[in-house]
Amino acid sequence: MLTQKLLAFTTGGSDWILYLLIFLSICSVAVIIERFFTLRGTLSQSRKVTERAKEALKANDLKVLEDLSKNHEALEGRLLSYALRYLSGKNPAGIEEIMTGYVLMEKPILEKNLGFLATLGNNAPFIGLLGTVLGIVRAFADLAGSQGNPTAVMSGISEALVATAVGLFVAIPAVAAYNYFQRQVKLILMNTESIKQLCIAYAHAGVK
């Protein structure tokens, strides 16, 4: 009884799998576009702050960090602003731990929705494969009802393979985008780490 119910479900075909993959593809494209513009702007601001910090190092003028802290569009600027407010009491103790904690709080914002891309990239091919299996089951069911006409099963199998192709089509851009955005996040965090070390030097030098 259960087998017959499952067979009736699987012979319904893989069309719903294709609709699901199309929906996931639309979600993936939306995430990719949002993350592209968001991280591109964040990384651009990060590079500006880093370049100015390099100039401050060459001039041996750590006071420029106060100017950089006014750039709240950059993660580094917000970090410096937060750190300088903490240092207003001229007590550098614990500043490194506090700045590290602040960066850890900001990291999930940078990685927003990247988990979705990673999950989609890993599982979309399997969803497509499920559609192919359902399509093949349907093709053989059609073959049984067509008195051994091979054309029916060949046509059904070719349609079933479309699901696997669509699954790969959805997965490949998601994986590529995920790897690209992860590199951008890593660059931003590396720039933030360099600014953090400058701020720690600023704190221990006792410059206000």
Side-chain angles (χ1 to χ4, degrees):
M1 181 65 68
L2 179 60
T3 303
Q4 293 299 323
K5 290 182 179 179
L6 290 175
L7 181 61
F9 172 76
T10 55
T11 53
S14 59
D15 289 347
W16 66 274
I17 293 288
L18 293 176
Y19 286 119
L20 174 61
L21 287 172
I22 290 172
F23 172 74
L24 291 174
S25 177
I26 293 172
C27 294
S28 175
V29 170
V31 170
I32 290 171
I33 292 174
E34 187 273 333
R35 285 291 87 191
F36 175 78
F37 286 106
T38 299
L39 290 178
R40 187 179 69 169
T42 302
L43 184 57
S44 175
Q45 292 295 330
S46 175
R47 285 171 174 163
K48 290 179 181 178
V49 172
T50 303
E51 288 301 318
R52 291 195 62 193
K54 288 179 181 178
E55 295 174 2
L57 278 176
K58 292 178 182 179
N60 195 26
D61 182 13
L62 291 177
K63 287 186 177 180
V64 75
L65 295 179
E66 294 181 356
D67 295 331
L68 295 179
S69 68
K70 298 176 183 178
N71 183 1
H72 289 179
E73 295 182 9
L75 171 59
E76 294 83 354
R78 297 193 298 272
L79 175 65
L80 286 171
S81 177
Y82 180 77
L84 291 177
R85 286 199 303 270
Y86 175 81
L87 290 172
S88 60
K90 297 182 180 181
N91 181 13
I95 183 63
E96 182 174 0
E97 291 77 8
I98 287 179
M99 295 181 74
T100 300
Y102 183 82
V103 172
L104 290 176
M105 288 189 293
E106 290 280 349
K107 187 178 179 182
I109 300 175
L110 296 175
E111 295 179 337
K112 179 183 176 182
N113 292 327
L114 294 190
F116 170 77
L117 292 179
T119 302
L120 182 61
N122 289 330
N123 293 284
F126 294 108
I127 297 174
L129 182 60
L130 174 61
T132 295
V133 171
L134 294 178
I136 290 175
V137 171
R138 179 178 180 179
F140 278 104
D142 292 341
L143 177 63
S146 62
Q147 298 180 348
N149 182 9
T151 304
V153 69
M154 291 299 103
S155 175
I157 291 175
S158 64
E159 291 179 3
L161 291 174
V162 171
T164 297
V166 173
L168 292 173
F169 180 78
V170 173
I172 292 172
V175 171
Y178 172 79
N179 291 333
Y180 172 73
F181 293 142
Q182 281 285 39
R183 287 194 298 271
Q184 286 194 313
V185 170
K186 185 179 291 186
L187 285 173
I188 294 170
L189 293 178
M190 287 176 61
N191 291 341
T192 303
E193 180 65 21
S194 65
I195 295 298
K196 185 182 80 172
Q197 295 302 323
L198 277 177
C199 189
I200 292 171
Y202 176 95
H204 289 294
V207 180
K208 183 176 179 182

